[in-house]
Amino acid sequence: MSSVQRALRLLEAVGAHADGAPAKQLAREAGLPLPTAYHLLRTLAHEGYLHRENGLFRYGDAVRRLGAGRAGSPALPDQPGQSDRQPDRQLSQPGAGPGPSGRVAHIVAALAGELGVAVYFAVYREGEVDVLATADAPGAPVVEEWADFRQTAHAHAIGQCLLAQLGEAERADHFARYPVRALTPYSVRDEAGFHRRCAARRPLQPVCEREEYALGTVCAALPLIVGETAATLAVSTPLARAERLRPAVDSLRSRVGALIGSLSFSISI
């Protein structure tokens, strides 16, 4: 039910903007963490309830059909650019000419299916961890965001990998806004401890964490060089299937060069 409530809050937020609004603004107005809002907005676009164009979300055809569902009820008016337009199906129709976000989502989903682990693609921009795409695998669901990914970057592999790619000033700014706090018994306890970890890691090596963000889960993240933007491909699996993690990371490392061009399209989204 919580996912339904969040989706309805996003739909209400979209309805307040006749010309559409970007994900970050909608997340803020709906009171949702940005990664959660991204996931729900893309699901709603996939189902035709929203349409995305030039980074702005508007009501899609499915919403207007709901408005016209009762006899004698007028259909909701078309929003700009929406007449005679098909619902956004970028996430499920790779052959239908998907835009950059759709291509990235398809890549991530294909990797999850092949590797048997949950897969994530994320960047650090405008001072925030921005999870652009996620995909489940059988027996390895995407980690539930029980604590805001942006505020707990020090605890999960995605955030640790992104923060490790930043300069000292950028990291200091991040921790000034989001102080380090332990989420589980295995989390780093303070900022000094996080910096020691960063110093001990070799550049371009995977970042691994075990139950630091979510108990019963192990994660690993690969740093990516995408222009001047810190980015990462990450994988996770339940602790009971931890043996899947290393082969998945090795497979990703072997193909990063082939994937980087397609993933870089999403940086401008």
Side-chain angles (χ1 to χ4, degrees), residues 28-51:
R28 183 170 60 253
E29 293 175 359
L32 297 176
L34 186 58
T36 300
Y38 265 125
H39 174 73
L40 290 172
L41 288 168
R42 285 175 173 149
T43 299
L44 290 167
H46 171 207
E47 298 298 330
Y49 290 96
L50 296 179
H51 171 76

Side-chain angles (χ1 to χ4, degrees), residues 31-236:
L32 297 176
L34 186 58
T36 300
Y38 265 125
H39 174 73
L40 290 172
L41 288 168
R42 285 175 173 149
T43 299
L44 290 167
H46 171 207
E47 298 298 330
Y49 290 96
L50 296 179
H51 171 76
R52 185 183 189 188
E53 186 173 10
N54 298 324
L56 302 179
F57 288 90
R58 302 182 178 93
Y59 279 155
D61 292 338
V63 170
R64 284 191 295 280
R65 288 196 296 271
L66 286 176
R70 292 179 299 160
S73 297
L76 293 174
D78 284 345
Q79 295 191 24
Q82 280 295 104
S83 59
D84 301 322
R85 192 181 293 274
Q86 294 299 313
D88 188 346
R89 296 285 176 176
Q90 291 182 352
L91 300 187
S92 62
Q93 295 182 2
S101 61
R103 286 196 293 273
V104 170
H106 280 288
I107 290 170
V108 169
L111 288 170
E114 178 184 345
L115 302 176
V117 294
V119 178
Y120 314 74
F121 176 59
V123 299
Y124 191 90
R125 57 184 177 185
E126 298 180 10
E128 304 288 355
V129 172
D130 195 348
V131 181
L132 299 179
T134 66
D136 299 309
V142 168
V143 174
E144 180 181 355
E145 189 185 354
W146 70 273
D148 191 330
F149 272 13
R150 297 169 300 174
Q151 298 178 18
T152 57
H154 60 279
H156 49 76
I158 290 172
Q160 292 177 19
C161 186
L162 294 173
L163 292 174
Q165 297 177 62
L166 304 181
E168 291 184 9
E170 286 183 287
R171 265 205 304 268
D173 172 74
H174 180 91
F175 288 132
R177 290 178 290 117
Y178 304 127
V180 174
R181 58 188 176 92
L183 300 185
T184 77
Y186 308 100
S187 303
V188 65
R189 318 305 289 184
D190 52 40
E191 187 175 340
F194 183 88
H195 289 308
R196 285 195 296 271
R197 285 192 183 185
C198 283
R201 291 187 179 121
R202 291 180 294 169
L204 302 182
Q205 292 299 302
V207 174
C208 299
E209 59 94 350
R210 182 185 179 99
E211 300 188 282
E212 294 182 42
Y213 175 81
L215 293 175
T217 302
V218 292
C219 306
L222 284 173
L224 303 179
I225 300 174
V226 183
E228 298 181 354
T229 302
T232 182
L233 263 176
V235 294
S236 72

Side-chain angles (χ1 to χ4, degrees), residues 257-268:
L259 293 171
I260 196 69
S262 297
L263 294 173
S264 65
F265 280 109
S266 67
I267 300 302
S268 62

